[in-house]
């Protein structure tokens, strides 16, 4: 049973409890009829992509793993699909002045239709579907584009698409979408904030130290509704790696790039350990209204005691670099969801003076 923390109150207080329960119940019901469809092998060097999936089957989540060849064959079968012009028109409307590479839109539209058709043909007894797809480097050379913009569009429709075959990332995004009603995203936590950027924006970083900040980044997978000044661009790293001699990008086109809008956020991740046990973390913070001065879908984040959280949770407990991002403070609902699912190890960014297990009390 789900019992509120304080299940007694006046009518307006109980109404708020019912509102929270609705978000909680949507996530639990959604997970009970969810299928994860994946394409491509899970790379060995990504823990995110190699964690055992048995815990997901134990939760009633179905996982259907497919080859990239299956996806390529289906994509090729959709060439000249009569629906492509309508999807292109919708993409053009969404991009507006940010349509920097209109020549790649036919392939992107063909790919979007391919995924949506696969969704309908393969959901089976499940009601809801998320994707976890291999997206580099063979994808660019064989499909001829980067899939990021399509991933962002499907996520905005309530069908999260996780990068790099990150199965647990896809489920994480889905839980966020159910719990918040807002499109989620998946970002790397792997870049620090330059000291000069921090010092040049004292008002924006008021109340935080430099160690409380980090850059959240991915190639271009975040829904346009969550970005500002966004545009269809090319993946800079893939351009350098796959087509360094070309004067203009070709197969590296297809990312949706721009700074992510400022506001409240919650970092969240559901993950399996190597021995098949579920664990989770939740940390509330904010995106700071500071230009990150970089590429991709990117933002400057501030989370209280982030440095300690990064060291004692993300690193010490072998979490992958992908973090789910909810665009509101939703820690209370997310905690109740993973607790209800039976997760025992639920971490959060502990305040100063509240030590993590094994943390050196003399370190700070």
């Amino acid at each position: 049973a789900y019992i509120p923390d304080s299940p007694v109150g006046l009518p307006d207080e109980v109404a708020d409890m019912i509102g929270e329960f609705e978000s909680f119940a949507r996530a639990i019901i959604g997970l009970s009829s969810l299928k994860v469809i994946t394409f491509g092998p899970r790379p060995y060097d990504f823990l995110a992509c190699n964690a055992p999936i048995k815990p997901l089957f134990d939760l009633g989540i179905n996982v259907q793993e497919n080859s990239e060849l299956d996806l390529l064959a289906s994509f090729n079968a959709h060439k000249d699909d009569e629906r492509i012009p309508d999807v292109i028109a919708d993409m053009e409307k969404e991009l507006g002045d940010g349509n920097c590479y209109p020549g790649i839109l036919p392939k992107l539209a063909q790919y979007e239709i391919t995924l949506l058709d696969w969704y309908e043909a393969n959901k089976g007894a499940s009601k809801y579907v998320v994707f976890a797809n291999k997206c580099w480097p063979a994808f660019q050379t064989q499909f001829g584009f980067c899939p990021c913009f399509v991933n962002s569009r499907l996520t905005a429709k309530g069908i999260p698409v996780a990068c790099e075959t990150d199965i647990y990332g896809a489920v994480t995004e889905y839980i966020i979408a159910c719990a918040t009603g807002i499109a989620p995203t998946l970002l790397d936590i792997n870049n620090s904030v330059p000291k000069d950027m921090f010092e040049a924006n004292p008002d924006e970083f008021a109340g935080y130290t430099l160690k409380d900040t980090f850059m959240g980044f991915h190639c271009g997978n975040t829904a346009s509704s969550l970005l500002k000044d966004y545009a269809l661009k090319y993946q800079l790293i893939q351009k350098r790696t796959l087509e360094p001699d070309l004067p203009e990008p070709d197969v590296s086109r297809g990312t949706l790039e721009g700074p992510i809008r400022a506001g409240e956020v919650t970092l969240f991740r559901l993950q399996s350990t190597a021995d098949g046990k579920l664990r989770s973390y939740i940390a509330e913070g904010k995106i700071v209204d500071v230009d990150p001065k970089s590429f991709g879908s990117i933002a400057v984040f501030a989370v209280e005691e982030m440095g300690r959280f990064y060291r004692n949770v993300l690193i010490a407990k072998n979490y992958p670099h992908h973090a789910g991002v909810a665009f509101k403070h939703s820690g209370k609902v997310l905690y109740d969801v993973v607790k209800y699912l039976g997760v025992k190890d639920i971490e959060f960014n502990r305040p100063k003076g509240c030590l993590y297990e094994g943390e050196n009390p003399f370190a700070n």
Side-chain angles (χ1 to χ4, degrees):
Y2 170 83
I3 304 174
D5 296 310
S6 180
V8 177
L10 297 171
D12 58 338
E13 296 170 328
V14 175
D16 289 339
M17 297 179 202
I18 294 172
E20 291 178 353
F21 174 73
E22 182 181 7
S23 298
F24 163 86
R26 187 185 301 113
I28 298 300
I29 293 170
L31 288 170
S32 70
S33 190
L34 178 66
K35 172 177 276 190
V36 182
I37 294 177
T38 82
F39 289 103
R42 294 183 283 164
Y44 177 75
D45 55 347
F46 283 92
L47 172 65
C49 307
N50 277 282
I53 58 176
K54 179 182 180 298
L56 296 181
F57 283 98
D58 292 340
L59 294 178
I61 298 172
N62 197 343
V63 181
Q64 175 189 317
E65 298 186 86
N66 308 277
S67 165
E68 284 175 284
L69 287 175
D70 297 322
L71 182 59
L72 183 60
S74 181
F75 173 75
N76 289 335
H78 282 79
K79 185 179 181 180
D80 299 324
D81 189 293
E82 62 181 10
R83 296 168 291 177
I84 289 176
D86 288 340
V87 176
I88 292 174
D90 191 56
M91 289 178 167
E92 290 173 337
K93 181 179 179 181
E94 179 177 351
L95 290 168
D97 294 336
N99 189 6
C100 300
Y101 295 102
I104 201 66
L105 292 186
K107 286 186 177 181
L108 292 173
Q110 180 179 338
Y111 181 64
E112 181 172 311
I113 293 169
T114 300
L115 288 181
L116 289 174
D117 281 357
W118 196 284
Y119 172 111
E120 292 296 337
N122 290 270
K123 64 182 178 181
S126 300
K127 293 182 179 179
Y128 315 108
V129 171
V130 296
F131 289 98
N133 299 344
K134 186 82 176 291
C135 52
W136 66 273
F139 190 99
Q140 282 70 37
T141 59
Q142 300 307 305
F143 286 80
F145 57 91
C146 281
C148 308
F149 180 41
V150 173
N151 294 354
S152 77
R153 282 171 53 85
L154 263 62
T155 299
K157 299 176 189 293
I159 309 171
V161 183
C163 315
E164 297 160 340
T165 333
D166 182 1
I167 293 175
Y168 281 92
V171 175
T172 293
E173 287 190 277
Y174 182 74
I175 293 173
I176 290 172
C178 290
T180 66
I182 303 171
T185 195
L186 204 64
L187 300 179
D188 295 350
I189 301 182
N190 59 0
N191 296 305
S192 57
V193 174
K195 187 176 182 181
D196 59 344
M197 180 183 291
F198 181 83
E199 292 177 341
N201 296 276
D203 292 339
E204 293 295 335
F205 289 110
Y208 295 96
T209 69
L210 181 58
K211 288 185 177 181
D212 293 334
T213 66
F214 70 93
M215 291 276 193
F217 161 87
H218 226 277
C219 306
N221 61 339
T222 303
S224 61
S225 60
L226 303 171
L227 303 175
K228 56 182 183 180
D229 301 323
Y230 58 85
L232 183 69
K233 296 188 178 181
Y234 67 94
Q235 217 290 327
L236 183 63
I237 299 171
Q238 298 297 334
K239 173 68 171 66
R240 291 171 177 169
T241 303
L242 299 175
E243 44 190 18
D245 299 326
L246 291 182
E248 293 294 327
D250 182 19
V251 301
S252 58
R253 295 176 296 169
T255 61
L256 184 69
E257 302 196 15
I260 303 173
R261 61 175 172 80
E264 294 181 349
V265 292
T266 304
L267 305 180
F268 171 67
R269 178 89 191 183
L270 180 70
Q271 181 69 24
S272 170
T273 61
D275 58 351
K277 296 179 181 177
L278 288 175
R279 59 172 42 154
S280 182
Y281 68 71
I282 305 165
E284 294 183 338
K286 71 175 185 178
I287 289 177
V288 182
D289 193 12
V290 171
D291 182 3
K293 301 182 184 299
S294 190
F295 67 98
S297 302
I298 189 169
V300 178
F301 287 72
V303 176
E304 291 183 4
E305 298 295 320
M306 181 66 195
R308 294 174 55 235
F309 177 73
Y310 184 82
R311 168 63 185 86
N312 294 285
V313 176
L314 302 187
I315 293 178
K317 295 197 171 187
N318 294 316
Y319 276 102
H321 61 303
H322 282 172
V325 181
F327 288 89
K328 64 184 294 187
H329 283 171
S330 50
K332 186 175 185 296
V333 171
L334 292 171
Y335 186 93
D336 282 341
V337 169
V338 291
K339 179 182 176 182
Y340 186 89
L341 295 176
V343 180
K344 304 297 183 185
D345 185 350
I346 310 173
E347 280 289 5
F348 62 98
N349 54 320
R350 302 189 186 186
K352 189 174 183 179
C354 180
L355 298 181
Y356 295 94
E357 181 180 357
E359 184 178 8
N360 189 334
F362 303 100
N364 297 293

